[in-house]
Amino acid sequence: MKEFTQDQIRVLSTLVDPDRFSVGQSNRELHLHDISFHLGTLPAGIIWPITTDEVSRILTWTYKQGIPVTPWGAGTSTEGNPVPTRGGLVMDFTRMNKILEIRPQDLQADVQPGVLRKELNRRAGKYGLFFPVDPGADASIGGMIANNASGVKTIKYGATKDYAMRMSVVLPQGKVIHTGCRAGKSSSGYDLTRLFVGSEGTLGVVTEATLRLTGIPSHHLAIIITFDNLESAARAVSLMIGSGLEPAALELLTPGLIHLMNEEKGLGLKKVPSLFCEFHGISKTVLLETSDLAKELTETCGSTSFQFGIEEKEREELWRARHEAWETIHRAHQGKETLIVDAAVPISRYPEMVIFSQQLVEERNADGYVFGHAGDGNLHVVMVGNPNDGSEWSILEDINDHIVRHAVELGGTCTGEHGVGIGKRKFMDLEHGESYDLMKDIKKLIDPKGLMNPDKIFF
Ligand SMILES: Cc1cc2nc3c(=O)[nH]c(=O)nc-3n(C[C@H](O)[C@H](O)[C@H](O)COP(=O)(O)OP(=O)(O)OC[C@H]3O[C@@H](n4cnc5c(N)ncnc54)[C@H](O)[C@@H]3O)c2cc1C
């Protein structure tokens, strides 16, 4: 659907306040792409609901009209997840952004989907609490739930699925349901909350969520460990995890990326394979003991330096630099687009996966930077090129294909955290086989007309 008729515009304008529906060209263009190269189809209009009731009335009407609807959080996805592919209506949640209640005694918060995670943390911080899922970008809670986002701290704290306890969801036909509960555990029937987590807006729209929060750790310890080769660094990762050290973050960085970070931020880091680690604990003594053990273990893998006792300001700068890796790469290659590989494997296969990917990038002479949330076996390769240059871009696509297929062969997944969107659909059959058919059946059952975020997860 390219344009709404005058009648449709009239009805949509009555479903929300006049300033919360637009068919203006610039608003439509703003919702044409996320941060990736995946280009969508211009939506016919944008609507900004602010209550569950409004969402329900909008979906009841769009369903009857056969209008495709694509939910939009903060638009920071990397696989075209919130990008409309059949025009229609984009439902933008940026104005449905109230923190409804924080219950410190229960370690819980009730939020609307447009709440940004940094704002939630600012507010929860007043109670000594935080929402620890950290994808780097200041994503919305609705988008994080829909993508089952995770990030640098997932190794200790888990992914979004571990924090979504209860949700209000509006189904494609406009019916409102409530999943889960506020108790710490439940064995009560199918886990519908988890069905909607990671469904990328293809099954319905999340309009409210109760999130688990956790206490802000009293002591932090940041460590940088360097190695003279990539294999030793990757081996040290599985050794540290296997020893029960429980880092709060364990990131692998390769010399190419460190070079860019040094150039841009003047960090003065050694340009060698490195692990950025963070530990959280109840006292300095515990953390110092942890650090001694980490040093001992990584020395057996041939570490060449071990820097700890990094002060808070420096620690924050390091993490900011790591979080901004994608932006740094993007800025260093002006005018180019990025293709981001996001595969994950069992931790024992991580060294093999890292070496495989680095060699592939070098052999194919591509501009690519290997790094990742090593502690979770999650590997990223950010490659840069021009999607309009067929021969250059096809090399990047081919590298992505090889890495993902290898990860799946090793018992891993085509996406550790970014979701399927448009880009990863081609690997779903390979990874899931018959389970992919069941996913399609579930989609048909809940959304028989295929109107909710069409062409995502499924072809
Ligand atoms: C620099 C950078 C680093 C990143 N690093 C990470 C990382 O480490 N880990 C990680 O997991 N991700 C990472 N991402 C990707 C991205 O930030 C996450 O996937 C995030 O969860 C997307 O949230 P969003 O609010 O931007 O959602 P959007 O991109 O707007 O939407 C994401 C999906 O959610 C759906 N959706 C949005 N709101 C709702 C709703 N209310 N109900 C139902 N469906 C909805 C959309 O249709 C879409 O399918 C990174 C992105 C950037 C730019």
PDB file of all heavy atoms in Angstrom, residues 35 71-77 81-82 93 113 135 137 139-140 142-144 146-147 149-151 200-201 204-206 326-327 373 417-418 453, ligand 1:
ATOM      1  N   ILE A  35      19.580   1.378  11.007  1.00  0.00           N
ATOM      2  CA  ILE A  35      20.976   1.795  10.774  1.00  0.00           C
ATOM      3  C   ILE A  35      21.642   0.955   9.681  1.00  0.00           C
ATOM      4  O   ILE A  35      22.813   1.153   9.373  1.00  0.00           O
ATOM      5  CB  ILE A  35      21.827   1.714  12.063  1.00  0.00           C
ATOM      6  CG1 ILE A  35      21.993   0.262  12.516  1.00  0.00           C
ATOM      7  CG2 ILE A  35      21.249   2.557  13.172  1.00  0.00           C
ATOM      8  CD1 ILE A  35      23.376  -0.014  13.031  1.00  0.00           C
ATOM      9  N   PRO A  71       5.627  -1.919  13.628  1.00  0.00           N
ATOM     10  CA  PRO A  71       5.976  -1.177  14.848  1.00  0.00           C
ATOM     11  C   PRO A  71       7.391  -0.600  14.756  1.00  0.00           C
ATOM     12  O   PRO A  71       8.277  -1.199  14.133  1.00  0.00           O
ATOM     13  CB  PRO A  71       5.907  -2.250  15.951  1.00  0.00           C
ATOM     14  CG  PRO A  71       5.251  -3.442  15.338  1.00  0.00           C
ATOM     15  CD  PRO A  71       5.532  -3.373  13.877  1.00  0.00           C
ATOM     16  N   TRP A  72       7.571   0.535  15.409  1.00  0.00           N
ATOM     17  CA  TRP A  72       8.857   1.252  15.370  1.00  0.00           C
ATOM     18  C   TRP A  72       9.210   1.689  16.785  1.00  0.00           C
ATOM     19  O   TRP A  72       8.397   2.319  17.470  1.00  0.00           O
ATOM     20  CB  TRP A  72       8.721   2.471  14.460  1.00  0.00           C
ATOM     21  CG  TRP A  72       9.976   3.270  14.281  1.00  0.00           C
ATOM     22  CD1 TRP A  72      10.465   4.237  15.111  1.00  0.00           C
ATOM     23  CD2 TRP A  72      10.898   3.171  13.192  1.00  0.00           C
ATOM     24  NE1 TRP A  72      11.636   4.743  14.610  1.00  0.00           N
ATOM     25  CE2 TRP A  72      11.929   4.113  13.429  1.00  0.00           C
ATOM     26  CE3 TRP A  72      10.966   2.387  12.050  1.00  0.00           C
ATOM     27  CZ2 TRP A  72      13.003   4.283  12.551  1.00  0.00           C
ATOM     28  CZ3 TRP A  72      12.036   2.564  11.175  1.00  0.00           C
ATOM     29  CH2 TRP A  72      13.041   3.496  11.434  1.00  0.00           C
ATOM     30  N   GLY A  73      10.431   1.293  17.262  1.00  0.00           N
ATOM     31  CA  GLY A  73      10.849   1.682  18.602  1.00  0.00           C
ATOM     32  C   GLY A  73      11.749   2.904  18.533  1.00  0.00           C
ATOM     33  O   GLY A  73      11.292   4.045  18.522  1.00  0.00           O
ATOM     34  N   ALA A  74      13.083   2.674  18.472  1.00  0.00           N
ATOM     35  CA  ALA A  74      14.018   3.789  18.301  1.00  0.00           C
ATOM     36  C   ALA A  74      14.725   3.683  16.952  1.00  0.00           C
ATOM     37  O   ALA A  74      15.580   4.508  16.629  1.00  0.00           O
ATOM     38  CB  ALA A  74      15.030   3.803  19.442  1.00  0.00           C
ATOM     39  N   GLY A  75      14.438   2.637  16.199  1.00  0.00           N
ATOM     40  CA  GLY A  75      15.010   2.500  14.842  1.00  0.00           C
ATOM     41  C   GLY A  75      16.490   2.168  14.828  1.00  0.00           C
ATOM     42  O   GLY A  75      17.186   2.471  13.859  1.00  0.00           O
ATOM     43  N   THR A  76      17.013   1.533  15.898  1.00  0.00           N
ATOM     44  CA  THR A  76      18.462   1.250  15.953  1.00  0.00           C
ATOM     45  C   THR A  76      18.801  -0.176  15.518  1.00  0.00           C
ATOM     46  O   THR A  76      19.927  -0.643  15.731  1.00  0.00           O
ATOM     47  CB  THR A  76      19.038   1.478  17.366  1.00  0.00           C
ATOM     48  OG1 THR A  76      18.479   0.508  18.266  1.00  0.00           O
ATOM     49  CG2 THR A  76      18.733   2.871  17.887  1.00  0.00           C
ATOM     50  N   SER A  77      17.855  -0.879  14.927  1.00  0.00           N
ATOM     51  CA  SER A  77      18.133  -2.260  14.507  1.00  0.00           C
ATOM     52  C   SER A  77      19.155  -2.303  13.377  1.00  0.00           C
ATOM     53  O   SER A  77      19.407  -1.300  12.702  1.00  0.00           O
ATOM     54  CB  SER A  77      16.844  -2.932  14.031  1.00  0.00           C
ATOM     55  OG  SER A  77      16.012  -3.228  15.113  1.00  0.00           O
ATOM     56  N   ASN A  81      14.836  -4.669  10.778  1.00  0.00           N
ATOM     57  CA  ASN A  81      13.695  -5.156  11.580  1.00  0.00           C
ATOM     58  C   ASN A  81      12.486  -4.209  11.612  1.00  0.00           C
ATOM     59  O   ASN A  81      11.360  -4.666  11.484  1.00  0.00           O
ATOM     60  CB  ASN A  81      14.138  -5.499  13.011  1.00  0.00           C
ATOM     61  CG  ASN A  81      15.522  -6.128  13.100  1.00  0.00           C
ATOM     62  OD1 ASN A  81      16.431  -5.679  12.438  1.00  0.00           O
ATOM     63  ND2 ASN A  81      15.682  -7.147  13.909  1.00  0.00           N
ATOM     64  N   PRO A  82      12.676  -2.875  11.818  1.00  0.00           N
ATOM     65  CA  PRO A  82      11.494  -2.002  11.910  1.00  0.00           C
ATOM     66  C   PRO A  82      11.170  -1.281  10.596  1.00  0.00           C
ATOM     67  O   PRO A  82      10.424  -0.314  10.593  1.00  0.00           O
ATOM     68  CB  PRO A  82      11.939  -0.983  12.962  1.00  0.00           C
ATOM     69  CG  PRO A  82      13.402  -0.820  12.718  1.00  0.00           C
ATOM     70  CD  PRO A  82      13.911  -2.121  12.140  1.00  0.00           C
ATOM     71  N   PHE A  93       6.452   4.244  18.528  1.00  0.00           N
ATOM     72  CA  PHE A  93       6.184   4.247  19.979  1.00  0.00           C
ATOM     73  C   PHE A  93       6.968   5.299  20.762  1.00  0.00           C
ATOM     74  O   PHE A  93       6.984   5.265  21.987  1.00  0.00           O
ATOM     75  CB  PHE A  93       6.424   2.846  20.557  1.00  0.00           C
ATOM     76  CG  PHE A  93       5.308   1.925  20.167  1.00  0.00           C
ATOM     77  CD1 PHE A  93       5.437   1.075  19.083  1.00  0.00           C
ATOM     78  CD2 PHE A  93       4.106   1.974  20.835  1.00  0.00           C
ATOM     79  CE1 PHE A  93       4.377   0.276  18.675  1.00  0.00           C
ATOM     80  CE2 PHE A  93       3.038   1.187  20.447  1.00  0.00           C
ATOM     81  CZ  PHE A  93       3.180   0.336  19.366  1.00  0.00           C
ATOM     82  N   PRO A 113       6.181   0.918  26.037  1.00  0.00           N
ATOM     83  CA  PRO A 113       7.216   0.406  25.131  1.00  0.00           C
ATOM     84  C   PRO A 113       8.220   1.436  24.629  1.00  0.00           C
ATOM     85  O   PRO A 113       9.341   1.092  24.273  1.00  0.00           O
ATOM     86  CB  PRO A 113       6.415  -0.160  23.954  1.00  0.00           C
ATOM     87  CG  PRO A 113       5.093   0.509  24.014  1.00  0.00           C
ATOM     88  CD  PRO A 113       4.831   0.798  25.458  1.00  0.00           C
ATOM     89  N   PRO A 135      22.524  -2.957  25.068  1.00  0.00           N
ATOM     90  CA  PRO A 135      22.933  -3.150  23.672  1.00  0.00           C
ATOM     91  C   PRO A 135      23.788  -2.000  23.124  1.00  0.00           C
ATOM     92  O   PRO A 135      24.029  -1.938  21.931  1.00  0.00           O
ATOM     93  CB  PRO A 135      21.584  -3.231  22.935  1.00  0.00           C
ATOM     94  CG  PRO A 135      20.644  -2.435  23.752  1.00  0.00           C
ATOM     95  CD  PRO A 135      21.149  -2.440  25.180  1.00  0.00           C
ATOM     96  N   ALA A 137      23.341   0.936  22.042  1.00  0.00           N
ATOM     97  CA  ALA A 137      22.439   1.981  21.550  1.00  0.00           C
ATOM     98  C   ALA A 137      21.381   2.282  22.616  1.00  0.00           C
ATOM     99  O   ALA A 137      21.054   1.413  23.426  1.00  0.00           O
ATOM    100  CB  ALA A 137      21.763   1.499  20.273  1.00  0.00           C
ATOM    101  N   ALA A 139      18.262   2.093  23.014  1.00  0.00           N
ATOM    102  CA  ALA A 139      17.095   1.481  22.388  1.00  0.00           C
ATOM    103  C   ALA A 139      15.864   1.645  23.264  1.00  0.00           C
ATOM    104  O   ALA A 139      15.959   1.931  24.459  1.00  0.00           O
ATOM    105  CB  ALA A 139      17.379   0.000  22.160  1.00  0.00           C
ATOM    106  N   SER A 140      14.688   1.421  22.654  1.00  0.00           N
ATOM    107  CA  SER A 140      13.432   1.456  23.418  1.00  0.00           C
ATOM    108  C   SER A 140      13.184   0.074  24.015  1.00  0.00           C
ATOM    109  O   SER A 140      13.652  -0.943  23.479  1.00  0.00           O
ATOM    110  CB  SER A 140      12.273   1.821  22.495  1.00  0.00           C
ATOM    111  OG  SER A 140      11.975   0.741  21.626  1.00  0.00           O
ATOM    112  N   GLY A 142      10.347  -1.524  24.027  1.00  0.00           N
ATOM    113  CA  GLY A 142       9.556  -2.308  23.066  1.00  0.00           C
ATOM    114  C   GLY A 142      10.445  -2.955  22.007  1.00  0.00           C
ATOM    115  O   GLY A 142      10.287  -4.130  21.681  1.00  0.00           O
ATOM    116  N   GLY A 143      11.387  -2.189  21.485  1.00  0.00           N
ATOM    117  CA  GLY A 143      12.310  -2.718  20.469  1.00  0.00           C
ATOM    118  C   GLY A 143      13.229  -3.776  21.043  1.00  0.00           C
ATOM    119  O   GLY A 143      13.554  -4.773  20.388  1.00  0.00           O
ATOM    120  N   MET A 144      13.651  -3.580  22.295  1.00  0.00           N
ATOM    121  CA  MET A 144      14.540  -4.572  22.930  1.00  0.00           C
ATOM    122  C   MET A 144      13.786  -5.875  23.176  1.00  0.00           C
ATOM    123  O   MET A 144      14.320  -6.971  22.979  1.00  0.00           O
ATOM    124  CB  MET A 144      15.108  -4.018  24.237  1.00  0.00           C
ATOM    125  CG  MET A 144      16.110  -2.894  24.010  1.00  0.00           C
ATOM    126  SD  MET A 144      16.787  -2.232  25.550  1.00  0.00           S
ATOM    127  CE  MET A 144      17.800  -3.596  26.115  1.00  0.00           C
ATOM    128  N   ALA A 146      11.162  -6.895  21.463  1.00  0.00           N
ATOM    129  CA  ALA A 146      10.849  -7.498  20.162  1.00  0.00           C
ATOM    130  C   ALA A 146      12.069  -8.166  19.535  1.00  0.00           C
ATOM    131  O   ALA A 146      11.940  -9.148  18.808  1.00  0.00           O
ATOM    132  CB  ALA A 146      10.264  -6.442  19.230  1.00  0.00           C
ATOM    133  N   ASN A 147      13.265  -7.627  19.792  1.00  0.00           N
ATOM    134  CA  ASN A 147      14.491  -8.237  19.226  1.00  0.00           C
ATOM    135  C   ASN A 147      15.189  -9.167  20.207  1.00  0.00           C
ATOM    136  O   ASN A 147      16.239  -9.713  19.895  1.00  0.00           O
ATOM    137  CB  ASN A 147      15.498  -7.139  18.839  1.00  0.00           C
ATOM    138  CG  ASN A 147      15.157  -6.478  17.525  1.00  0.00           C
ATOM    139  OD1 ASN A 147      14.224  -6.871  16.857  1.00  0.00           O
ATOM    140  ND2 ASN A 147      15.934  -5.476  17.150  1.00  0.00           N
ATOM    141  N   ALA A 149      16.954  -8.209  22.730  1.00  0.00           N
ATOM    142  CA  ALA A 149      18.282  -7.597  22.717  1.00  0.00           C
ATOM    143  C   ALA A 149      19.132  -8.099  23.877  1.00  0.00           C
ATOM    144  O   ALA A 149      18.618  -8.478  24.931  1.00  0.00           O
ATOM    145  CB  ALA A 149      18.140  -6.081  22.806  1.00  0.00           C
ATOM    146  N   SER A 150      20.434  -8.089  23.662  1.00  0.00           N
ATOM    147  CA  SER A 150      21.367  -8.366  24.763  1.00  0.00           C
ATOM    148  C   SER A 150      22.579  -7.453  24.578  1.00  0.00           C
ATOM    149  O   SER A 150      22.444  -6.405  23.961  1.00  0.00           O
ATOM    150  CB  SER A 150      21.724  -9.849  24.812  1.00  0.00           C
ATOM    151  OG  SER A 150      22.171 -10.303  23.576  1.00  0.00           O
ATOM    152  N   GLY A 151      23.742  -7.814  25.096  1.00  0.00           N
ATOM    153  CA  GLY A 151      24.866  -6.885  24.940  1.00  0.00           C
ATOM    154  C   GLY A 151      26.043  -7.265  25.791  1.00  0.00           C
ATOM    155  O   GLY A 151      26.213  -8.430  26.156  1.00  0.00           O
ATOM    156  N   GLU A 200       9.812  -9.771  17.021  1.00  0.00           N
ATOM    157  CA  GLU A 200      10.087  -8.646  16.110  1.00  0.00           C
ATOM    158  C   GLU A 200       8.815  -7.961  15.600  1.00  0.00           C
ATOM    159  O   GLU A 200       8.748  -7.544  14.436  1.00  0.00           O
ATOM    160  CB  GLU A 200      10.976  -9.109  14.949  1.00  0.00           C
ATOM    161  CG  GLU A 200      12.320  -9.630  15.427  1.00  0.00           C
ATOM    162  CD  GLU A 200      13.293 -10.003  14.312  1.00  0.00           C
ATOM    163  OE1 GLU A 200      13.133  -9.490  13.187  1.00  0.00           O
ATOM    164  OE2 GLU A 200      14.210 -10.790  14.575  1.00  0.00           O
ATOM    165  N   GLY A 201       7.812  -7.907  16.434  1.00  0.00           N
ATOM    166  CA  GLY A 201       6.581  -7.212  16.036  1.00  0.00           C
ATOM    167  C   GLY A 201       5.791  -7.951  14.967  1.00  0.00           C
ATOM    168  O   GLY A 201       4.893  -7.370  14.363  1.00  0.00           O
ATOM    169  N   GLY A 204       2.244  -9.166  17.082  1.00  0.00           N
ATOM    170  CA  GLY A 204       1.418  -8.197  17.801  1.00  0.00           C
ATOM    171  C   GLY A 204       2.308  -7.099  18.352  1.00  0.00           C
ATOM    172  O   GLY A 204       3.512  -7.054  18.071  1.00  0.00           O
ATOM    173  N   VAL A 205       1.687  -6.239  19.132  1.00  0.00           N
ATOM    174  CA  VAL A 205       2.374  -5.046  19.597  1.00  0.00           C
ATOM    175  C   VAL A 205       2.414  -5.042  21.127  1.00  0.00           C
ATOM    176  O   VAL A 205       1.383  -5.205  21.778  1.00  0.00           O
ATOM    177  CB  VAL A 205       1.609  -3.805  19.076  1.00  0.00           C
ATOM    178  CG1 VAL A 205       2.129  -2.553  19.729  1.00  0.00           C
ATOM    179  CG2 VAL A 205       1.741  -3.703  17.570  1.00  0.00           C
ATOM    180  N   VAL A 206       3.597  -4.851  21.672  1.00  0.00           N
ATOM    181  CA  VAL A 206       3.743  -4.773  23.132  1.00  0.00           C
ATOM    182  C   VAL A 206       3.397  -3.355  23.561  1.00  0.00           C
ATOM    183  O   VAL A 206       3.992  -2.392  23.066  1.00  0.00           O
ATOM    184  CB  VAL A 206       5.199  -5.101  23.549  1.00  0.00           C
ATOM    185  CG1 VAL A 206       5.370  -4.974  25.058  1.00  0.00           C
ATOM    186  CG2 VAL A 206       5.591  -6.484  23.066  1.00  0.00           C
ATOM    187  N   TRP A 326      30.813   0.577  16.291  1.00  0.00           N
ATOM    188  CA  TRP A 326      30.162   0.659  14.973  1.00  0.00           C
ATOM    189  C   TRP A 326      30.254   2.085  14.411  1.00  0.00           C
ATOM    190  O   TRP A 326      30.615   2.285  13.250  1.00  0.00           O
ATOM    191  CB  TRP A 326      28.700   0.205  15.063  1.00  0.00           C
ATOM    192  CG  TRP A 326      27.987   0.391  13.764  1.00  0.00           C
ATOM    193  CD1 TRP A 326      28.060  -0.418  12.661  1.00  0.00           C
ATOM    194  CD2 TRP A 326      27.140   1.488  13.402  1.00  0.00           C
ATOM    195  NE1 TRP A 326      27.291   0.100  11.639  1.00  0.00           N
ATOM    196  CE2 TRP A 326      26.711   1.270  12.072  1.00  0.00           C
ATOM    197  CE3 TRP A 326      26.684   2.629  14.084  1.00  0.00           C
ATOM    198  CZ2 TRP A 326      25.864   2.147  11.393  1.00  0.00           C
ATOM    199  CZ3 TRP A 326      25.838   3.503  13.406  1.00  0.00           C
ATOM    200  CH2 TRP A 326      25.435   3.251  12.078  1.00  0.00           C
ATOM    201  N   GLU A 327      29.946   3.082  15.272  1.00  0.00           N
ATOM    202  CA  GLU A 327      30.003   4.475  14.812  1.00  0.00           C
ATOM    203  C   GLU A 327      31.428   4.843  14.379  1.00  0.00           C
ATOM    204  O   GLU A 327      31.638   5.518  13.376  1.00  0.00           O
ATOM    205  CB  GLU A 327      29.561   5.447  15.914  1.00  0.00           C
ATOM    206  CG  GLU A 327      28.062   5.459  16.202  1.00  0.00           C
ATOM    207  CD  GLU A 327      27.706   4.532  17.352  1.00  0.00           C
ATOM    208  OE1 GLU A 327      28.403   3.510  17.542  1.00  0.00           O
ATOM    209  OE2 GLU A 327      26.713   4.816  18.042  1.00  0.00           O
ATOM    210  N   HIS A 373      31.140 -10.038  21.729  1.00  0.00           N
ATOM    211  CA  HIS A 373      30.831 -10.337  23.129  1.00  0.00           C
ATOM    212  C   HIS A 373      31.354 -11.757  23.376  1.00  0.00           C
ATOM    213  O   HIS A 373      30.594 -12.737  23.373  1.00  0.00           O
ATOM    214  CB  HIS A 373      29.331 -10.261  23.371  1.00  0.00           C
ATOM    215  CG  HIS A 373      28.693  -8.984  22.887  1.00  0.00           C
ATOM    216  ND1 HIS A 373      29.167  -7.742  23.263  1.00  0.00           N
ATOM    217  CD2 HIS A 373      27.640  -8.743  22.075  1.00  0.00           C
ATOM    218  CE1 HIS A 373      28.406  -6.798  22.694  1.00  0.00           C
ATOM    219  NE2 HIS A 373      27.485  -7.393  21.967  1.00  0.00           N
ATOM    220  N   GLU A 417      22.021 -11.612  18.670  1.00  0.00           N
ATOM    221  CA  GLU A 417      21.307 -10.569  19.400  1.00  0.00           C
ATOM    222  C   GLU A 417      20.564  -9.573  18.510  1.00  0.00           C
ATOM    223  O   GLU A 417      19.661  -8.896  18.982  1.00  0.00           O
ATOM    224  CB  GLU A 417      22.278  -9.803  20.314  1.00  0.00           C
ATOM    225  CG  GLU A 417      23.468  -9.224  19.569  1.00  0.00           C
ATOM    226  CD  GLU A 417      24.502  -8.585  20.483  1.00  0.00           C
ATOM    227  OE1 GLU A 417      24.473  -8.882  21.691  1.00  0.00           O
ATOM    228  OE2 GLU A 417      25.319  -7.804  19.993  1.00  0.00           O
ATOM    229  N   HIS A 418      20.925  -9.453  17.248  1.00  0.00           N
ATOM    230  CA  HIS A 418      20.327  -8.394  16.423  1.00  0.00           C
ATOM    231  C   HIS A 418      18.976  -8.771  15.840  1.00  0.00           C
ATOM    232  O   HIS A 418      18.253  -7.914  15.331  1.00  0.00           O
ATOM    233  CB  HIS A 418      21.274  -7.997  15.285  1.00  0.00           C
ATOM    234  CG  HIS A 418      22.529  -7.346  15.778  1.00  0.00           C
ATOM    235  ND1 HIS A 418      23.625  -7.131  14.986  1.00  0.00           N
ATOM    236  CD2 HIS A 418      22.867  -6.873  17.015  1.00  0.00           C
ATOM    237  CE1 HIS A 418      24.583  -6.544  15.702  1.00  0.00           C
ATOM    238  NE2 HIS A 418      24.146  -6.385  16.933  1.00  0.00           N
ATOM    239  N   ASN A 453       4.107  -6.428  10.670  1.00  0.00           N
ATOM    240  CA  ASN A 453       5.503  -6.366  10.242  1.00  0.00           C
ATOM    241  C   ASN A 453       5.814  -7.430   9.188  1.00  0.00           C
ATOM    242  O   ASN A 453       6.666  -8.301   9.393  1.00  0.00           O
ATOM    243  CB  ASN A 453       6.450  -6.506  11.439  1.00  0.00           C
ATOM    244  CG  ASN A 453       7.805  -5.873  11.167  1.00  0.00           C
ATOM    245  OD1 ASN A 453       8.023  -5.298  10.091  1.00  0.00           O
ATOM    246  ND2 ASN A 453       8.712  -5.972  12.110  1.00  0.00           N
TER     247      ASN A 453
HETATM  248  C1  LIG B   1      25.785   1.070  17.607  1.00  0.00           C
HETATM  249  C2  LIG B   1      24.814  -0.048  17.835  1.00  0.00           C
HETATM  250  C3  LIG B   1      25.177  -1.103  18.650  1.00  0.00           C
HETATM  251  C4  LIG B   1      24.284  -2.149  18.883  1.00  0.00           C
HETATM  252  N1  LIG B   1      24.663  -3.167  19.694  1.00  0.00           N
HETATM  253  C5  LIG B   1      23.761  -4.100  20.026  1.00  0.00           C
HETATM  254  C6  LIG B   1      24.085  -5.099  20.992  1.00  0.00           C
HETATM  255  O1  LIG B   1      25.181  -5.142  21.538  1.00  0.00           O
HETATM  256  N2  LIG B   1      23.134  -6.003  21.311  1.00  0.00           N
HETATM  257  C7  LIG B   1      21.880  -5.976  20.733  1.00  0.00           C
HETATM  258  O2  LIG B   1      21.042  -6.807  21.088  1.00  0.00           O
HETATM  259  N3  LIG B   1      21.575  -5.067  19.791  1.00  0.00           N
HETATM  260  C8  LIG B   1      22.457  -4.131  19.439  1.00  0.00           C
HETATM  261  N4  LIG B   1      22.117  -3.181  18.522  1.00  0.00           N
HETATM  262  C9  LIG B   1      20.833  -3.270  17.810  1.00  0.00           C
HETATM  263  C10 LIG B   1      19.640  -2.546  18.451  1.00  0.00           C
HETATM  264  O3  LIG B   1      20.041  -1.486  19.275  1.00  0.00           O
HETATM  265  C11 LIG B   1      18.769  -3.506  19.271  1.00  0.00           C
HETATM  266  O4  LIG B   1      18.304  -4.580  18.487  1.00  0.00           O
HETATM  267  C12 LIG B   1      17.546  -2.818  19.917  1.00  0.00           C
HETATM  268  O5  LIG B   1      16.849  -3.762  20.666  1.00  0.00           O
HETATM  269  C13 LIG B   1      16.575  -2.192  18.933  1.00  0.00           C
HETATM  270  O6  LIG B   1      15.673  -1.403  19.678  1.00  0.00           O
HETATM  271  P1  LIG B   1      14.904  -0.168  19.024  1.00  0.00           P
HETATM  272  O7  LIG B   1      14.142   0.494  20.084  1.00  0.00           O
HETATM  273  O8  LIG B   1      15.825   0.665  18.238  1.00  0.00           O
HETATM  274  O9  LIG B   1      13.877  -0.945  18.093  1.00  0.00           O
HETATM  275  P2  LIG B   1      13.596  -0.805  16.541  1.00  0.00           P
HETATM  276  O10 LIG B   1      14.857  -0.979  15.787  1.00  0.00           O
HETATM  277  O11 LIG B   1      12.819   0.400  16.290  1.00  0.00           O
HETATM  278  O12 LIG B   1      12.664  -2.076  16.344  1.00  0.00           O
HETATM  279  C14 LIG B   1      13.147  -3.365  16.582  1.00  0.00           C
HETATM  280  C15 LIG B   1      12.044  -4.380  16.328  1.00  0.00           C
HETATM  281  O13 LIG B   1      11.062  -4.237  17.336  1.00  0.00           O
HETATM  282  C16 LIG B   1       9.782  -4.055  16.771  1.00  0.00           C
HETATM  283  N5  LIG B   1       9.070  -3.237  17.750  1.00  0.00           N
HETATM  284  C17 LIG B   1       9.386  -2.005  18.191  1.00  0.00           C
HETATM  285  N6  LIG B   1       8.525  -1.619  19.145  1.00  0.00           N
HETATM  286  C18 LIG B   1       7.647  -2.633  19.316  1.00  0.00           C
HETATM  287  C19 LIG B   1       6.521  -2.849  20.157  1.00  0.00           C
HETATM  288  N7  LIG B   1       6.113  -1.939  21.027  1.00  0.00           N
HETATM  289  N8  LIG B   1       5.836  -4.012  20.035  1.00  0.00           N
HETATM  290  C20 LIG B   1       6.223  -4.958  19.156  1.00  0.00           C
HETATM  291  N9  LIG B   1       7.287  -4.806  18.336  1.00  0.00           N
HETATM  292  C21 LIG B   1       7.984  -3.661  18.424  1.00  0.00           C
HETATM  293  C22 LIG B   1      10.054  -3.455  15.419  1.00  0.00           C
HETATM  294  O14 LIG B   1       9.004  -3.700  14.494  1.00  0.00           O
HETATM  295  C23 LIG B   1      11.309  -4.191  15.024  1.00  0.00           C
HETATM  296  O15 LIG B   1      10.992  -5.453  14.490  1.00  0.00           O
HETATM  297  C24 LIG B   1      23.004  -2.127  18.270  1.00  0.00           C
HETATM  298  C25 LIG B   1      22.638  -1.036  17.457  1.00  0.00           C
HETATM  299  C26 LIG B   1      23.530  -0.005  17.252  1.00  0.00           C
HETATM  300  C27 LIG B   1      23.093   1.152  16.397  1.00  0.00           C
END
